[in-house]
Amino acid sequence: MPSHHRSSPAHMHLTPRRQLLALTIATVLAPATSWAQTQRMYRIGVTKIVSHAALDADEKGFEAGLASAGFKEGVNVTYLRRNAQGDMATADTIARELVAEKPDLIHAIATPTAQAVMRTGSQIALIFSSVTDPVRAGLVPANSAPGQKTGTHVTGLSDPWPVRLQFETYARAVPKAKTWGTIYNPQESNSLSHIQIMRDTAKGLGLTLLEVTIKRSSEVGEAAASLVGKVQAITITSDNTTVANLEALVQVCNQHKIALFAGDTDSVARGAMMAYGLDYFLVGYSAGRKAALVLKGIKPGDVPWGPVEKFSLVINTRAARAQGVSMPPELLARADKVID
């Protein structure tokens, strides 16, 4: 049997003043709800020349830097991640494909991939990281110094290593080593910059530097084997081709008691005995913070580019023993981190 007491809308029982208050609250809350449902999803293209510990750390740092500024994957950011697997032609193909996707910005990790994006002629905002010499690479204007604005669609983080100081420090670890080896890919302009400094430093220290060039990571083991019996130590530049297959180099050095030095701290955990270099997570993080400024509306050319200037001395005593080296106490005392 139907009730004679029908329910009425809640507002029918409100006083006019309370009705006005309820309406005001609804009006205030509505835009917030609408914004949460419709906030913009940013698309970021990521192109990396190859996967290895340092560049992977850079990529993670970049995403962390963006997230710290409110740009989080799955919330308001979508990443279009690509890896050239160390192949320069593939890097060019990836660059063209990403540009065709028309993302809000592109993050290029390492010199070859950043150059590939530049060759497309696109004006999409480009944030580079892990690039040794952006001027020589043609990424920033020749008259643009570190810490300055480019005035273009490009900005980012460079990673120049203290090559001379590195070589001098490493030489103190193995003072009896008079002939040193290095392996690099001459197609990487970042490696060429470092090699020239290494040559000059070796000459100044009265050391001989033997160079072996490669084209792909699969050649690292063979290149290392060619140095056996000729060198007492090997030092690696910021060469992505070589670092991508560092394990093959470590194996040769351990087997033949050759001291192995790297330039990035991530390679120490992988078997190099020492590195005085950069934490690449921080490189990426700083680049991510610059990217956040661009997503917030600042032109890339108005965001100064520059280097990361914090370096750490990391020593792997287990690797040193495997390579027949007794680490000098003075270097151990200076180390920011010691792995055993």
Side-chain angles (χ1 to χ4, degrees):
M1 184 176 177
S3 169
H4 295 288
H5 300 283
R6 295 181 180 179
S7 61
S8 301
H11 66 77
M12 294 296 290
H13 301 289
L14 299 178
T15 65
R17 182 177 179 182
R18 288 182 176 178
Q19 288 183 37
L20 179 61
L21 178 60
L23 180 62
T24 301
I25 292 174
T27 303
V28 170
L29 292 179
T33 304
S34 175
W35 179 86
Q37 293 173 345
T38 63
Q39 67 172 308
R40 180 179 176 183
M41 181 66 74
Y42 293 91
R43 299 165 67 247
I44 299 176
V46 181
T47 173
K48 181 168 58 176
I49 187 58
V50 71
S51 181
H52 61 67
L55 297 189
D56 292 349
D58 177 327
E59 184 174 3
K60 292 176 182 176
F62 181 86
E63 294 179 11
L66 271 176
S68 72
F71 298 96
K72 300 179 181 180
E73 183 175 15
V75 178
N76 54 355
V77 170
T78 298
Y79 288 102
L80 310 174
R81 301 182 180 91
R82 303 291 185 271
N83 187 334
Q85 304 293 340
D87 187 83
M88 305 300 172
T90 302
D92 281 319
T93 300
I94 288 173
R96 291 192 295 270
E97 290 176 348
L98 283 179
V99 167
E101 290 282 349
K102 298 181 179 179
D104 293 285
L105 64 80
I106 294 176
H107 176 210
I109 306 173
T111 303
T113 41
Q115 290 176 312
V117 175
M118 289 293 285
R119 282 193 289 271
T120 67
S122 167
Q123 293 299 301
I124 294 173
L126 173 60
I127 313 297
F128 63 80
S129 60
S130 295
V131 171
T132 299
D133 189 341
V135 174
R136 177 171 179 165
L139 303 179
V140 302
N143 61 353
S144 178
Q148 292 185 349
K149 303 174 182 178
T150 65
T152 68
H153 66 291
V154 181
T155 189
L157 261 290
S158 59
D159 65 336
W161 292 0
V163 181
R164 192 177 305 277
L165 182 57
Q166 285 177 333
F167 208 157
E168 292 171 348
T169 302
Y170 302 162
R172 284 199 291 272
V174 284
K176 293 183 180 179
K178 298 303 178 185
T179 304
W180 289 61
T182 192
I183 303 169
Y184 66 97
N185 182 350
Q187 289 183 295
E188 293 194 37
S189 65
N190 46 295
S191 299
L192 297 179
S193 298
H194 283 186
I195 286 295
Q196 187 55 58
I197 302 174
M198 287 173 64
R199 290 170 184 158
D200 296 340
T201 304
K203 184 177 180 180
L205 294 172
L207 305 174
T208 299
L209 181 65
L210 298 183
E211 304 172 19
V212 180
T213 59
I214 59 175
K215 293 182 178 180
R216 53 190 65 86
S217 294
S218 59
E219 300 172 2
V220 171
E222 183 181 349
S226 73
L227 291 170
V228 173
K230 300 175 184 177
V231 304
Q232 296 85 49
I234 293 177
T235 182
I236 300 302
T237 70
S238 63
D239 188 77
N240 295 295
T241 308
T242 304
V243 177
N245 195 12
L246 188 74
E247 286 72 19
L249 179 53
V250 170
Q251 184 176 1
V252 171
C253 289
N254 288 351
Q255 182 179 351
H256 297 279
K257 305 302 179 186
I258 299 172
L260 175 61
F261 301 90
D264 67 280
T265 59
D266 297 284
S267 289
V268 181
R270 297 171 64 194
M273 60 177 284
M274 181 189 297
Y276 179 63
L278 294 168
D279 179 338
Y280 274 80
F281 182 88
L282 297 180
V283 173
Y285 188 90
S286 297
R289 297 291 294 186
K290 291 183 185 296
L293 294 176
V294 173
L295 293 182
K296 289 179 179 179
I298 299 177
K299 295 180 180 178
D302 289 336
V303 179
W305 71 276
V308 174
E309 298 177 343
K310 186 181 185 304
F311 302 101
S312 301
L313 177 62
V314 180
I315 297 174
N316 185 332
T317 54
R318 183 176 65 252
R321 289 193 298 271
Q323 293 157 20
V325 176
S326 178
M327 191 61 62
E330 59 106 356
L331 287 177
L332 287 171
R334 283 178 48 195
D336 296 285
K337 182 179 180 181
V338 176
I339 301 172
D340 191 4

